[in-house]
Amino acid sequence: IAGITQAPTSQILAAGRRMTLRCTQDMRHNAMYWYRQDLGLGLRLIHYSNTAGTTGKGEVPDGYSVSRANTDDFPLTLASAVPSQTSVYFCASSFSGASGDEQFFGPGTRLTVL
Amino acid sequence: TQLLEQSPQFLSIQEGENLTVYCNSSSVFSSLQWYRQEPGEGPVLLVTVVTGGEVKKLKRLTFQFGDARKDSSLHITAAQPGDTGLYLCSPGGSNYKLTFGKGTLLTVNP
């Protein structure tokens, strides 16, 4: 693999179910991010991780959790999905997490919560 | 108060036309990035501008950072259908990291 991969590509989920979106990068980047993209609201940061073992909250963290057990993987979990979490989710990474670092984005996961 | 304002929100033009899109704020940024997102894909970095007044060119795309580092513009000359996409700006600076404007959705018709 090269760059960032996300899985699944798309998913339809019943409300109340638990769901984990997967993200893997092979660039040995220290920082990783999760965004959601909604029409009219743009890209909004959910959670981030500046290095393995650390995570932080972004602009819209409620209802989501993340872990960063190693450098390559950054899964996003919805503990109990709600319809307002219907969105396109993008994972991204950057070399250091410093402001102005180039972010590399995955292809996205389209999630529909019914 | 919105940190970034991108305008126009939507733009539909014919192939060969020129266009300019804007990214404005009342805040000063240490740098500013422009990304392009094609349909069904994630955003891809086009350029980073750092110095006030800086102009960078990328083939038919010209990026300018305002003298006061509060705004930026992207000018496309002789637009082509391949330029179609969502253009996003993202400011740099410790207080603004990981923020994006809502973008300009550009459609270039053949």
Side-chain angles (χ1 to χ4, degrees), chain B residues 60-93:
Chain B
R60 295 175 293 99
L61 279 60
T62 302
F63 304 85
Q64 184 161 9
F65 201 15
D67 291 341
R69 290 184 288 123
K70 294 182 179 181
D71 54 83
S72 182
S73 64
L74 160 58
H75 181 80
I76 301 179
T77 303
Q80 299 177 1
D83 296 325
T84 292
L86 180 67
Y87 289 80
L88 297 160
C89 64
S90 179

Side-chain angles (χ1 to χ4, degrees), chain B residues 13-107:
Chain B
I13 62 171
Q14 294 301 121
E15 182 175 1
E17 293 183 6
N18 302 332
L19 66 113
T20 303
V21 299
Y22 302 92
C23 177
N24 296 309
S25 175
S26 58
S27 302
V28 176
F29 304 126
S30 60
S31 64
L32 192 132
Q33 296 178 320
W34 284 94
Y35 287 79
R36 179 170 64 205
Q37 183 178 16
E38 298 184 8
E41 300 183 7
V44 175
L45 180 69
L46 295 173
V47 77
T48 301
V49 287
V50 178
T51 306
E54 181 177 7
V55 177
K56 281 192 174 179
K57 293 192 174 183
L58 186 66
K59 296 183 180 178
R60 295 175 293 99
L61 279 60
T62 302
F63 304 85
Q64 184 161 9
F65 201 15
D67 291 341
R69 290 184 288 123
K70 294 182 179 181
D71 54 83
S72 182
S73 64
L74 160 58
H75 181 80
I76 301 179
T77 303
Q80 299 177 1
D83 296 325
T84 292
L86 180 67
Y87 289 80
L88 297 160
C89 64
S90 179
S94 59
N95 293 330
Y96 314 116
K97 192 168 65 170
L98 309 173
T99 300
F100 287 84
K102 293 183 181 180
T104 293
L105 185 61
L106 172 66
T107 302

Side-chain angles (χ1 to χ4, degrees), chain A residues 14-97:
Chain A
R17 297 295 296 269
R18 180 184 180 90
M19 175 74 190
T20 295
L21 307 185
R22 300 184 298 279
C23 175
T24 299
Q25 54 104 358
D26 66 354
M27 297 175 283
R28 307 304 293 173
H29 283 171
N30 287 311
M32 297 187 74
Y33 318 92
W34 274 106
Y35 294 89
R36 59 178 290 173
Q37 187 172 37
D38 304 286
L39 197 63
L41 297 176
L43 274 166
R44 293 181 293 168
L45 182 68
I46 304 171
H47 285 287
Y48 65 93
S49 169
N50 285 330
T51 188
T54 69
T55 63
K57 294 181 179 180
E59 180 184 356
V60 288
D62 293 345
Y64 305 94
S65 63
V66 291
S67 61
R68 187 88 184 277
N70 58 61
T71 297
D72 298 344
D73 302 299
F74 191 43
L76 176 74
T77 297
L78 289 67
S80 179
V82 295
S84 62
Q85 292 177 311
T86 293
S87 187
V88 181
Y89 291 85
F90 286 98
C91 180
S93 72
S94 67
F95 177 69
S96 69

